[in-house]
Amino acid sequence: MLDIYIWFYTGCALVILGSIGTVIGPGVKDPIVRTLNTEVAAVGLSMIFLSYNHTIALLTFVASTVIMTMILLRAIVRLEEMGAKV
Amino acid sequence: MITGDLFNFTLFVALIGIVNIGLVGAVKLVDVLDSAFQYGIIAMIASLPLFGGAATILAATGTLSLIELSHLSLVTPMVQFASVLLLMGIAGETGIAPFYATKAEMFRTPGSPFLVIIHLSSLLVIVRAIEILLIINKPF
Amino acid sequence: MTGAEVLVPSVVSPLVVSLYKPAILVGLLTGFIGLLGIAFKKGDLTALILTDIVGFAMLIIVAAVATDLAEALVLPGLVVELAEILAISEVLMSREMRKTGKNVSLIPLPLSLDMEILETAPTFLAIILIAYGAFLSGFTGGAVAGVGILFYVLSRTIRGVPSTLWEGVAGISGVAWVLWLIGFLMFFVTPQYWLLALFLSAFGVLIKVASKVGLIGVLGREEFKREK
């Protein structure tokens, strides 16, 4: 059995790294890269949920993150098709 | 709004924010939609102090029931910090004083409907929020 | 009751108490990074993506309380965040559509799912998922079984078999929901039949969640038909 601290602090590090990467990471001029960088933070948050034994919260979070990414990608693709400057 | 549970109230305030975005977003004018977008961003950011404040009160006192909270005799610095967070969240969600600039443009537009609904709901929510903050902090 | 007992009840494990402060710090730091990003980066789409990070910070702070109540509080937080991001993105797209005057399709991605696995494996995988979901029961089991039904319906769609098999799924879902409610009512009215109530609510919610997720498959099939 692994130590719970390992899961928790790995999650914390992933959340902070992911959020920094979303703000000033490489290639974030492209909004799709920026959206995909949020997934790193999402994985970290999932590990924090896991270390607290929040099973149903984790399940719902995974589902809602997928839906959120789809919403954001749809917005990006539609805005690029319109040729809008955002 | 007349609830005995703190988290139900915060959830209600968050839903007020979403409904306000929907009401304003129904107007098909570029300026109003721009203002609605700014208001939506503020409302979404304000959900951090709103839910964070409620969770901090839960962590500090061990309960979310307003009746139990009114019976507690101690007010720790953590509860005061949580109350400040809660106030920031409610101000952001309903768009009052510090965040009023986001709502100004959509009030100025002549065609936008439901202004009275949005304004009145904000006022009523603020009255109840002040009452809840008084119950939690017990200044008197 | 003294103050210290109220602050940390004795049932809370010291492990969780020791994790509280770093979790709060991480949550505030993440929120701060996200807000700094929104403040310094220009662009509406950037702000929309970065509010996602702020929402994660909110979830960390709520989850750090680490009780069952906190877990129940995470769920509405997630739903609120999802609804807000949907509303804001719709407002943004509507505004840009007004500004540029161009009209684009509602779902811009071409959905062509012709993978080999959808032709060979669906029945086997669906049966395994549904059986495992029925074995688990409850909410989690419903989700697992629902994924099985969803996968089956989607793959049937790809193979082109017109299946009117799932028309009554909505009705089953409603009936199962009523079973679930009756089970909960029995807990309060006749507590001596708690085993029956437990099974009623567990399998009611199993069927309800499974059929709800299966309904997504039915809706998706109709969307694909419209696309073609």
Side-chain angles (χ1 to χ4, degrees):
Chain A
M1 187 65 195
L2 270 173
D3 199 353
I4 198 169
Y5 288 106
I6 297 175
W7 294 109
F8 181 75
Y9 285 110
T10 313
C12 289
L14 276 178
V15 166
I16 293 177
L17 268 182
S19 51
I20 290 176
T22 311
V23 177
I24 52 167
V28 292
K29 287 274 181 215
D30 191 357
I32 290 186
V33 173
R34 202 186 281 273
T35 309
L36 293 182
N37 277 354
T38 61
E39 295 300 305
V40 179
V43 170
L45 186 50
S46 308
M47 288 178 93
I48 291 177
F49 279 154
L50 198 62
S51 65
Y52 279 127
N53 266 339
H54 287 178
T55 320
I56 295 179
L58 181 61
L59 193 76
T60 320
F61 176 69
V62 169
S64 74
T65 308
V66 171
I67 298 173
M68 242 181 259
T69 310
M70 280 164 69
I71 290 171
L72 286 176
L73 285 181
R74 172 169 168 263
I76 292 166
V77 170
R78 281 187 80 183
L79 288 176
E80 280 183 354
E81 246 177 60
M82 281 177 228
K85 250 187 270 175
V86 281
Chain B
M1 196 163 72
I2 311 169
T3 173
D5 190 281
L6 186 62
F7 203 82
N8 279 355
F9 179 73
T10 56
L11 204 59
F12 178 75
V13 173
L15 287 179
I16 287 268
I18 299 174
V19 169
N20 281 353
I21 300 167
L23 281 177
V24 179
V27 183
K28 300 296 182 193
L29 286 172
V30 173
D31 289 340
V32 179
L33 284 176
D34 197 21
S35 162
F37 178 74
Q38 307 290 349
Y39 179 56
I41 292 285
I42 289 292
M44 188 137 180
I45 292 169
S47 73
L48 165 68
L50 188 71
F51 286 91
T56 313
I57 283 179
L58 172 63
T61 63
T63 179
L64 279 173
S65 161
L66 287 177
I67 301 169
E68 290 287 323
L69 281 173
S70 70
H71 289 161
L72 286 178
S73 60
L74 76 168
V75 179
T76 53
M78 199 162 154
V79 173
Q80 286 165 350
F81 173 63
S83 304
V84 172
L85 281 184
L86 206 60
L87 187 62
M88 278 168 59
I90 292 166
E93 289 282 351
T94 54
I96 55 158
F99 306 107
Y100 201 72
T102 59
K103 270 165 88 177
E105 187 61 39
M106 66 204 201
F107 274 33
R108 198 176 294 141
T109 316
S112 60
F114 312 126
L115 276 185
V116 182
I117 299 176
I118 295 173
H119 201 63
L120 200 63
S121 70
S122 305
L123 286 181
L124 292 176
V125 165
I126 284 302
V127 170
R128 175 65 174 156
I130 290 170
E131 188 187 356
I132 285 179
L133 290 181
L134 286 181
I135 287 174
I136 293 170
N137 280 300
K138 293 180 270 299
F140 307 119
Chain C
M1 197 186 282
T2 61
E5 263 177 281
V6 178
L7 291 182
V8 181
S10 55
V11 290
V12 178
S13 76
L15 190 71
V16 169
V17 176
S18 72
L19 287 182
Y20 184 70
K21 203 184 274 182
I24 289 291
L25 280 179
V26 167
L28 291 179
L29 190 61
T30 312
F32 193 63
I33 293 170
L35 291 179
L36 276 185
I38 294 173
F40 284 118
K41 300 276 173 173
K42 297 288 175 242
D44 292 340
L45 200 56
T46 310
L48 183 60
I49 298 169
L50 285 174
T51 47
D52 211 8
I53 295 291
V54 181
F56 288 169
M58 179 260 283
L59 290 176
I60 295 174
I61 293 178
V62 177
V65 183
T67 55
D68 284 352
L69 185 57
E71 183 177 356
L73 302 190
V74 168
L75 302 180
L78 273 173
V79 175
V80 163
E81 201 187 341
L82 191 60
E84 277 184 349
I85 227 172
L86 186 58
I88 300 171
S89 71
E90 282 299 325
V91 166
L92 180 62
M93 284 185 281
S94 171
R95 188 193 79 190
E96 292 301 322
M97 218 183 272
R98 298 268 145 199
K99 220 183 249 176
T100 57
K102 271 186 213 164
N103 215 341
V104 291
S105 61
L106 202 62
I107 300 175
L109 305 172
L111 282 166
S112 61
L113 295 166
D114 46 349
M115 289 178 278
E116 165 123 19
I117 191 167
L118 291 179
E119 292 178 6
T120 49
T123 321
F124 181 65
L125 280 180
I127 286 175
I128 284 185
L129 280 174
I130 291 173
Y132 182 53
F135 174 69
L136 279 177
S137 83
F139 186 85
T140 323
V144 171
V147 168
I149 298 175
L150 178 65
F151 187 57
Y152 188 74
V153 173
L154 277 180
S155 56
R156 283 276 134 166
T157 314
I158 300 304
R159 288 162 72 188
V161 179
S163 51
T164 51
L165 198 62
W166 308 93
E167 290 299 319
V169 164
I172 296 174
S173 168
V175 172
W177 192 54
V178 171
L179 282 184
W180 182 53
L181 283 182
I182 291 175
F184 265 99
L185 200 62
M186 275 176 76
F187 269 123
F188 293 105
V189 179
T190 55
Q192 64 267 33
Y193 299 126
W194 60 272
L195 193 65
L196 179 62
L198 181 69
F199 271 91
L200 265 182
S201 45
F203 284 98
V205 80
L206 163 78
I207 297 171
K208 178 185 173 289
V209 174
S211 53
K212 275 285 159 61
V213 182
L215 271 180
I216 299 176
V218 177
L219 286 179
R221 191 191 63 206
E222 286 170 358
E223 278 297 317
F224 295 152
K225 259 188 202 163
R226 202 174 299 150
E227 202 73 26
K228 283 165 196 166

